Amino acid sequence: LCEATCLGIPAIVASNPRNHVTTDASAGLSVGLTPFSKWPGELGLAATRDIKLVKEFAQIAAQEWCAVGLRKGYMYMADLATEPRWQRIEGTFGENADLSAQMISAILSGFQGTKLNSKSVAMTTKHFPGGGPQVDGHDPHFEWGKDQHYPGKMFEYHLKPFIAAIKAGTSAIMPYYAKPVGTTYEEIAFAYNKGILQDLLRKKLGFNGIINSDTGPIEMMPWGVEKLTLHQRYQKAIECGVDIFSGTADPTILLETIQKGLVSESRINESVIRLLIEKFDLGLFENPYVNVAKAGQMVGNPEFQKKADLAQRKSIVLLKNDKKLLPLKPKTKVYFETNYSSRSAQNSISVYHSGSDTWGLEFVDRAEQADVIIAWLIPTSGGLFSLKNEPIDITLKKNNINVDHINSLKKTKPTITVINFTSPWVIEEIYNEDLHTLLATFGTSPEALLDILTAKQKPTGKMPITIPLNSRVVLENQSDVPGYLKSKAYALFKYGDGLTY
């Protein structure tokens, strides 16, 4: 297709993340499990606290991406997990701006190198100036979630990871759909916001790269500029600095906007130059093709997965071990159930069986046969795009967990409770006198979990987020303030918590 055009400008093929174990993968967010190497989710990478390993992740993923011709990533999220109800926390590196800045810097260094080259994947850091502090946790993909606020006056705190990304040379930055309320900035979506994109991002922070709109701000999510025509929306966004419109954008309307004289050709040229430089730097003009045989050897190869397996294990956090059930002793009879593999069915479970003697345990079919029960809970809201215009509830019962069943198990036998935290779930429904052993996962495999439970590898992970004490503190929280800075009465488990053997 590109060869048939008059100038032969090569295409650049982009993707959302595709190297992570994710629970709620969906189009536009994360691809989920693929043949690529399988690493913990972004929260899990942050839980490792291993910046060197995170850079190795990015270097490995870049090799896989380049091998198949993916040269641009709509990632990673520099947003902070300060509002526990926001349903995109799974894609963040947690609540701490300094840790997120370190993570973003390492990932940019791994994917891009010191500067873009023929082995780089160009990164699009998102969502400027930091999604997360949404009113009531709602998301601006929806009209009812369009407002973003800063009741704790921590706007500057949310900029820290983006400042790190700019310093590390991120090729592009993506503004979010939301519009700020209660700030000194105009109450219009960030893609149309001159104060945000020109005064702050370009002038104050010195970003000279590509500003990439999120998908659909013109025709789908034009918050604050609904009264403008499509042509006027293009005009306003381009004047504010947007260089490329993603996804569903219709180029014919953009061309009409230029023909009407609403946007100058010289302004268009500024964006064209930025987009062409990225392609030149990536070497696409010299060689836009891939070696099919090499791609097959590169993607998901055992050496890559070996590093990913290490990261999965380092991402697991031990939160409680009061009865010293862990590590599990050899020949222990274990009943291991989870709602992971059949999570589409409400409250359904599957029982894990080992096909080998890897851990020296005896897996049994029923809880009454066991010495110890492992209950791995995978709460899920159904994903961002299943949300409705109603209050967001992050308790376990409202997110696909049979709370009565779990409490019954804990009364039956000594129980190791494991919870996968894609959100800072409120666990008050099961946090009682029977809960003595608790671990947190952030996207990992059963094999990695069993390695930790049997001390094939000791737990070293640290919490990247704070777990709220109860539903009341969630409702009362200030959505721009990270959990570790909230009142002492807020946390059940704090950012940075994590035990070992």
Side-chain angles (χ1 to χ4, degrees):
L1 178 68
C2 294
E3 286 174 339
T5 62
C6 61
L7 295 177
I9 297 172
I12 186 166
V13 185
S15 173
N16 285 286
R18 54 178 58 236
N19 285 81
H20 303 286
V21 180
T22 55
T23 301
D24 293 324
S26 55
L29 303 183
S30 178
V31 180
L33 290 178
T34 70
F36 287 42
S37 58
K38 299 165 182 62
W39 297 72
E42 290 91 328
L43 285 172
L45 289 178
T48 70
R49 296 297 199 275
D50 191 333
I51 303 302
K52 180 175 180 290
L53 182 58
V54 170
K55 182 176 178 179
E56 288 183 276
F57 148 70
Q59 291 170 328
I60 286 170
Q63 292 177 66
E64 294 179 300
W65 283 53
C66 287
V68 302
L70 291 173
R71 302 302 305 279
K72 189 177 182 76
Y74 286 144
M75 56 197 189
Y76 274 85
M77 289 171 59
D79 312 287
L80 300 178
T82 55
E83 167 50 70
R85 291 168 290 183
W86 188 43
Q87 293 295 293
R88 298 199 67 177
I89 286 176
E90 183 176 18
T92 74
F93 296 111
E95 68 182 47
N96 184 287
D98 296 312
L99 177 61
S100 295
Q102 288 181 293
M103 298 292 292
I104 286 287
S105 297
I107 282 175
L108 283 164
S109 178
F111 270 103
Q112 293 191 166
T114 53
K115 68 185 299 294
L116 291 185
N117 59 76
S118 61
K119 296 181 180 179
S120 297
V121 176
M123 291 281 98
T124 306
T125 304
K126 57 188 188 181
H127 305 87
F128 192 78
Q134 307 300 132
V135 174
D136 297 329
H138 289 298
D139 190 87
H141 275 87
F142 312 104
E143 191 276 337
W144 64 80
K146 62 189 176 183
D147 290 342
Q148 184 166 312
H149 64 163
Y150 299 87
K153 309 300 181 187
M154 295 199 71
F155 179 89
E156 298 289 332
Y157 184 80
H158 287 256
L159 294 179
K160 282 186 174 184
F162 292 96
I163 294 170
I166 293 168
K167 185 176 180 180
T170 185
S171 185
I173 283 180
M174 180 184 291
Y176 210 24
Y177 303 119
K179 64 182 181 71
V181 295
T183 72
T184 58
Y185 293 101
E186 188 178 3
E187 294 191 2
I188 56 176
F190 293 126
Y192 299 97
N193 204 306
K194 186 176 181 182
I196 293 292
L197 296 186
Q198 283 295 333
D199 298 340
L200 177 59
L201 181 58
R202 290 285 193 214
K203 295 176 183 176
K204 183 176 180 180
L205 301 185
F207 178 63
N208 295 315
I210 296 164
I211 295 179
N212 188 324
S213 86
D214 212 332
T215 297
I218 298 295
E219 64 284 79
M220 296 164 62
M221 281 75 80
W223 311 137
V225 296
E226 293 91 339
K227 293 183 180 180
L228 298 182
T229 66
L230 293 182
H231 299 103
Q232 290 171 331
R233 293 175 194 173
Y234 269 118
Q235 178 189 30
K236 189 170 184 63
I238 292 170
E239 285 178 349
C240 289
V242 173
D243 295 304
I244 182 170
F245 294 92
S246 300
T248 57
D250 184 349
T252 60
I253 306 295
L254 173 57
L255 288 169
E256 290 173 8
T257 304
I258 299 164
Q259 291 161 1
K260 289 174 176 287
L262 297 175
V263 177
S264 69
E265 190 170 330
S266 61
R267 170 64 192 88
I268 295 295
N269 286 342
E270 290 178 23
S271 294
V272 170
I273 288 168
R274 289 192 183 102
L275 298 170
L276 287 176
I277 286 174
E278 182 181 65
K279 294 182 181 187
F280 274 114
D281 287 345
L282 290 170
L284 291 173
F285 278 88
E286 287 73 26
N287 180 21
Y289 307 104
V290 300
N291 181 320
V292 176
K294 184 180 178 182
Q297 298 164 6
M298 187 72 70
V299 170
N301 73 63
E303 286 303 308
F304 289 170
Q305 191 55 48
K306 189 176 179 181
K307 280 287 185 182
D309 289 343
L310 173 63
Q312 287 192 31
R313 285 147 182 81
K314 294 188 76 169
S315 72
I316 297 169
V317 181
L318 175 62
L319 291 171
K320 285 191 75 176
N321 193 23
D322 294 351
K323 295 285 187 178
K324 304 301 180 187
L325 283 181
L326 299 176
L328 290 172
K329 296 177 175 60
K331 299 184 180 180
T332 301
K333 292 181 180 180
V334 172
Y335 173 72
F336 181 178
E337 75 166 40
T338 178
N339 63 320
Y340 181 74
S341 62
S342 51
R343 64 182 181 272
S344 59
Q346 180 72 26
N347 295 332
S348 61
I349 61 171
S350 61
V351 179
Y352 180 87
H353 286 277
S354 170
S356 69
D357 192 36
T358 304
W359 301 281
L361 304 173
E362 182 182 341
F363 291 91
V364 297
D365 294 322
R366 298 189 303 277
E368 54 267 27
Q369 299 172 321
D371 300 319
V372 173
I373 294 169
I374 302 171
W376 191 12
L377 316 184
I378 316 290
T380 172
S381 66
L384 173 66
F385 297 112
S386 68
L387 295 177
K388 299 176 182 177
N389 186 10
E390 54 190 36
I392 297 171
D393 190 326
I394 57 173
T395 58
L396 295 178
K397 192 170 186 178
K398 290 291 186 179
N399 289 278
N400 200 37
I401 298 300
N402 187 333
V403 170
D404 293 337
H405 171 68
I406 298 304
N407 283 328
S408 175
L409 283 181
K410 292 197 278 95
K411 289 182 182 298
T412 303
K413 290 285 176 73
T415 300
I416 298 163
T417 305
V418 187
I419 302 175
N420 194 63
F421 286 95
T422 53
S423 289
W425 306 115
V426 171
I427 67 171
E428 59 183 327
E429 298 152 308
I430 65 167
Y431 198 81
N432 48 37
E433 67 277 3
D434 299 316
L435 197 151
H436 302 294
T437 311
L438 179 65
L439 296 96
T441 62
F442 303 94
T444 192
S445 66
E447 292 74 21
L449 176 58
L450 285 164
D451 275 2
I452 294 296
L453 298 183
T454 57
K456 282 174 72 75
Q457 184 167 323
K458 290 185 178 181
T460 57
K462 302 296 181 185
M463 290 298 287
I465 52 177
T466 296
I467 305 306
L469 180 65
N470 53 41
S471 297
R472 177 183 57 79
V473 299
V474 169
L475 293 174
E476 294 172 353
N477 99 98
Q478 291 183 307
S479 61
D480 59 327
V481 179
Y484 75 95
L485 290 179
K486 290 181 166 91
S487 72
K488 290 182 179 180
Y490 178 81
L492 177 63
F493 293 102
K494 302 185 295 296
Y495 168 87
D497 280 354
L499 307 172
T500 192
Y501 305 141

